[in-house]
Amino acid sequence: MWTEIDAHIGQATGKKFQSQQRRSVSGGCINQGYAVSNGKLNYFVKLNQASQVAMFEAEALGLEDMLATASIRIPKPVCWGIAGNSSYIVLEWLELDGNSNSGEEMGRKLAAMHKTSSSQGFGWKINNTIGSTPQINTWTADWAEFYTKHRLSYQFQLARRRGGNFPQQEKLLAAIPELLAHQVQPSLVHGDLWGGNAGCTVTGEPVIFDPATYFGDREVDIAMTELFGGFSAAFYKGYNAVFPLDAGYEKRKTLYNLYHILNHFNLFGGGYASQANRMIDQILR
């Protein structure tokens, strides 16, 4: 497997590559991660089952779209494919430093990325994944319709199959057009922006990775930064200095974070269903 991956790296970069060192590093909850090196060049490799290659292709395309905005630092995708029984994606290696004070710069640069829009509306070129859950990105002109159909309704359908019970589901879905009545321009969003998918290089440059990219309301990214913590007050100061949040965000953020809590129920089960029901009650008050 590694011989095939090394060869693909060489083909993609035009520089022959033969890994001499491979060490396991975090690849998130879904994938295995490895740092590979030939002593001079370093890459980050994520592995999964061969059947998951489309997930890595979508990740690469999302990274490329974010890179094209020339705003915030993104690890460059090198290549992806199938080797043996595994699918893989190879990314630029970025040495991260967990003790940076670059929050304000990260906020400014994320705001710059969010200013990238789409004339096609809300959605994306292909479906991708949120974690390992399919994420439907069918182009839709209306944001409330997109969020109802392709985000919450889809997650509720999956949750029912897992035995989830959400008594106020239909009432919530019917209320979304009113809850999301603000003017929304499609923004290129990261889509899965919690603290574990953001960091800073050893030189102090903010970086985001592991995206679930699409064009949506930029508030979905900001809301998720509040869901699991990890972002400083300076981050929000920097963001609002470039692209101030619209009035009503504080009410909408719980609705946007409900998507991720439902997804966590679908991925991991446990107490996420009760958390989702509490959020629904809060939204409908």
Side-chain angles (χ1 to χ4, degrees):
M1 177 188 73
W2 287 109
T3 301
E4 291 182 56
I5 294 174
D6 288 352
H8 198 176
I9 293 172
Q11 291 167 5
T13 62
K15 298 178 182 178
K16 186 177 180 181
F17 183 82
Q18 184 174 352
S19 54
Q20 298 171 357
Q21 299 173 332
R22 294 186 291 269
R23 60 182 174 88
S24 178
V25 295
S26 173
C29 334
I30 307 298
N31 307 297
Q32 296 173 276
Y34 290 89
V36 301
S37 175
N38 67 355
K40 294 182 179 180
L41 300 173
N42 303 291
Y43 297 99
F44 178 50
V45 180
K46 290 196 288 187
L47 301 176
N48 207 308
Q49 298 175 347
S51 59
Q52 299 301 308
V53 67
M55 175 180 69
F56 286 146
E57 179 184 8
E59 178 179 350
L61 293 175
L63 291 168
E64 287 175 348
D65 275 10
M66 293 195 298
L67 272 167
T69 68
S71 53
I72 192 166
R73 183 71 182 270
I74 309 290
K76 297 176 184 176
V78 177
C79 58
W80 58 93
I82 295 174
N85 296 322
S86 297
S87 60
Y88 63 88
I89 184 171
V90 180
L91 304 173
E92 171 190 17
W93 176 263
L94 296 176
E95 196 71 43
L96 300 182
D97 177 6
N99 300 309
S100 171
N101 295 315
S102 66
E104 189 169 343
E105 184 182 1
M106 179 178 285
R108 290 195 302 267
K109 290 188 171 183
L110 180 69
M113 187 185 89
H114 280 168
K115 290 190 174 184
T116 301
S117 192
S118 170
S119 61
Q120 293 179 265
F122 302 96
W124 199 45
K125 62 187 80 176
I126 59 171
N127 295 334
N128 52 10
T129 55
I130 181 75
S132 58
T133 306
Q135 182 167 260
I136 310 303
N137 295 319
T138 305
W139 289 111
T140 308
D142 181 75
W143 170 243
E145 179 185 346
F146 177 89
Y147 194 71
T148 302
K149 183 176 181 181
H150 301 308
R151 291 297 178 261
L152 291 190
S153 288
Y154 185 74
Q155 289 286 348
F156 278 129
Q157 290 171 23
L158 297 178
R160 279 198 299 273
R161 298 175 195 171
R162 286 188 62 104
N165 180 34
F166 305 97
Q168 298 205 82
Q169 170 188 329
E170 294 306 322
K171 184 178 179 181
L172 173 71
L173 293 175
I176 288 178
E178 182 179 351
L179 294 168
L180 299 183
H182 62 304
Q183 293 294 316
V184 184
Q185 293 296 317
S187 290
L188 183 67
V189 298
H190 177 283
D192 194 11
L193 193 58
W194 66 290
N197 288 343
C200 185
T201 67
V202 292
T203 59
E205 187 176 16
V207 56
I208 56 176
F209 42 85
D210 287 351
T213 313
Y214 64 100
F215 285 92
D217 185 349
R218 63 197 176 99
E219 292 179 357
V220 300
D221 275 352
I222 304 303
M224 195 180 188
T225 65
E226 297 193 54
L227 183 58
F228 299 119
F231 291 79
S232 66
F235 167 82
Y236 303 102
K237 177 183 177 183
Y239 188 92
N240 279 293
V242 174
F243 202 174
L245 290 169
D246 297 327
Y249 160 74
E250 289 296 327
K251 293 182 178 180
R252 291 186 291 270
K253 70 181 182 183
T254 304
L255 179 62
Y256 287 152
N257 283 336
L258 177 62
Y259 173 63
H260 297 291
I261 295 303
L262 288 170
N263 186 50
H264 274 61
F265 172 73
N266 287 320
L267 290 172
F268 309 118
Y272 288 110
S274 58
Q275 184 178 356
N277 276 316
R278 290 193 299 271
M279 293 171 78
I280 293 168
D281 291 344
Q282 179 186 342
I283 294 163
L284 291 175
R285 271 187 214 128

